[in-house]
Amino acid sequence: MKTRVIAAAVLLPLLLIAVLFLPKIVTAVIFGALAAIAAYELLYRTDLVKEVRLVAYSAVIAFGVSLWSLYGKQYTWAMIGILVFFAALFGEMMASHVKISFEKVAYCLAAGLLLPYLLTSIVRIHSWPLGRRYVFIPFILAFLSDTGAYFAGRAFGKHKLAPVISPHKTVEGVVGGVLGAIFGMLIFCLVMQLGFKMQVNYLYAVLYGVVGSLGAVFGDLCFSVIKRQTGMKDYGNLIPGHGGVLDRFDSMMVVGPLSELLLLLLPVAVGK
């Protein structure tokens, strides 16, 4: 637990400094690297795909997805990248005389395109005119939900949520996570209103908290069930006390895109 707290206390501020003050390309590169590592973890570490070239192709395109999320209007380059990735995967499949199954190709498509696109919602939010403010929202939802769930679960947890997939999760923990996320969003709106003179909607803040927290739980369970099926404890050991990228950013795969959609459909804070 001590190692986990120290790692979070060091790495989270560094990430927030990069997001707040450094050029936006830096955020895209950081999340591109995270997406590439996540692709490696999902494919190679789980033994789902052990062909090194397939894993390498997936990691490269995963990094590229982050750049496309920053420069979203460059559809031509995105299509070229997808076609090259597609051709490389199926080329390997044919060259192996069908020893590489379509199932493995599908894993690579998920790891190289789908999951990176979900994760790099952070990059897309950050690229907006007020993105340096809005980008706090997915972090608030994911991390305060996790914190609220942890303390509520330890204090009151009795009813198991998904005992086979994630034995430590409880219904009481989920409730605590929702309350933590709502509290975080209300504080965010208060800061935006008083500190930046933005028009905020506190009812939307509550909605963000509920939807975001439930999304965080769902994202965590999604990647937990993969670990159970593949017999893994953690996806990696890159982050001390936390495991791999997918262990730390599993909930963000859902919370990030949900935040992006909510901000587009029901903006919680609008500049005057």
Side-chain angles (χ1 to χ4, degrees), residues 102 143 166 230:
F102 175 70
F143 294 130
S166 187
T230 55

Side-chain angles (χ1 to χ4, degrees), residues 10-266:
V10 172
L11 295 176
L12 185 58
L14 291 177
L15 180 60
L16 292 178
I17 288 171
V19 167
L20 284 174
F21 301 111
L22 297 181
K24 294 185 177 183
I25 184 62
V26 175
T27 298
V29 169
I30 290 173
F31 276 88
L34 292 175
I37 295 169
Y40 160 77
E41 290 176 350
L42 182 63
L43 298 174
Y44 199 84
R45 293 275 304 183
T46 59
D47 289 334
L48 292 174
V49 178
K50 297 299 285 187
E51 287 76 12
V52 174
R53 286 198 297 273
L54 295 185
V55 176
Y57 299 153
S58 302
V60 169
I61 195 67
F63 184 86
V65 169
S66 185
L67 298 181
W68 181 81
S69 288
L70 178 62
Y71 303 111
K73 295 181 180 180
Q74 302 298 327
Y75 294 109
T76 302
W77 288 107
M79 185 56 67
I80 290 173
I82 291 172
L83 285 174
V84 170
F85 182 49
F86 182 88
L89 293 179
F90 279 89
E92 292 282 350
M93 184 178 180
M94 289 182 281
S96 71
H97 303 291
V98 202
K99 290 181 181 178
I100 294 176
S101 66
F102 175 70
E103 185 178 24
K104 290 185 177 182
V105 170
Y107 289 147
C108 291
L109 289 170
L113 292 176
L114 175 60
L115 297 185
Y117 187 77
L118 296 177
L119 179 61
T120 58
S121 57
I122 303 297
V123 178
R124 293 190 293 277
I125 294 171
H126 190 238
S127 69
W128 296 349
L130 294 176
R132 292 189 190 273
R133 299 176 190 177
Y134 293 144
V135 79
F136 277 104
I137 291 175
F139 288 102
I140 289 170
L141 293 175
F143 294 130
L144 285 190
S145 174
D146 186 50
T147 301
Y150 175 78
F151 286 107
R154 290 200 63 175
F156 309 108
K158 292 182 179 180
H159 301 87
K160 298 294 184 181
L161 178 68
V164 175
I165 299 173
S166 187
H168 299 297
K169 277 190 170 45
T170 62
V171 175
E172 293 80 4
V174 171
V175 174
V178 170
L179 294 177
I182 291 174
F183 174 76
M185 283 305 304
L186 292 175
I187 295 299
F188 171 82
C189 284
L190 188 63
V191 172
M192 292 299 106
Q193 181 180 28
L194 299 180
F196 296 94
K197 309 302 180 184
M198 297 181 73
Q199 294 178 345
V200 300
N201 189 314
Y202 288 97
L203 181 60
Y204 286 175
V206 174
L207 177 64
Y208 275 54
V210 174
V211 173
S213 182
L214 294 179
V217 173
F218 181 70
D220 186 279
L221 290 175
C222 287
F223 288 91
S224 291
V225 75
I226 296 174
K227 287 195 289 187
R228 297 297 171 264
Q229 289 184 353
T230 55
M232 298 182 64
K233 182 179 183 296
D234 293 315
Y235 282 102
N237 51 16
L238 179 67
I239 308 172
H242 294 269
V245 170
L246 286 176
D247 294 297
R248 179 64 276 175
F249 288 90
D250 49 5
S251 60
M252 193 64 77
M253 296 286 185
V254 177
V255 174
L258 278 177
S259 300
E260 184 180 7
L261 284 172
L262 286 170
L263 284 166
L264 289 170
L265 298 173
L266 300 170

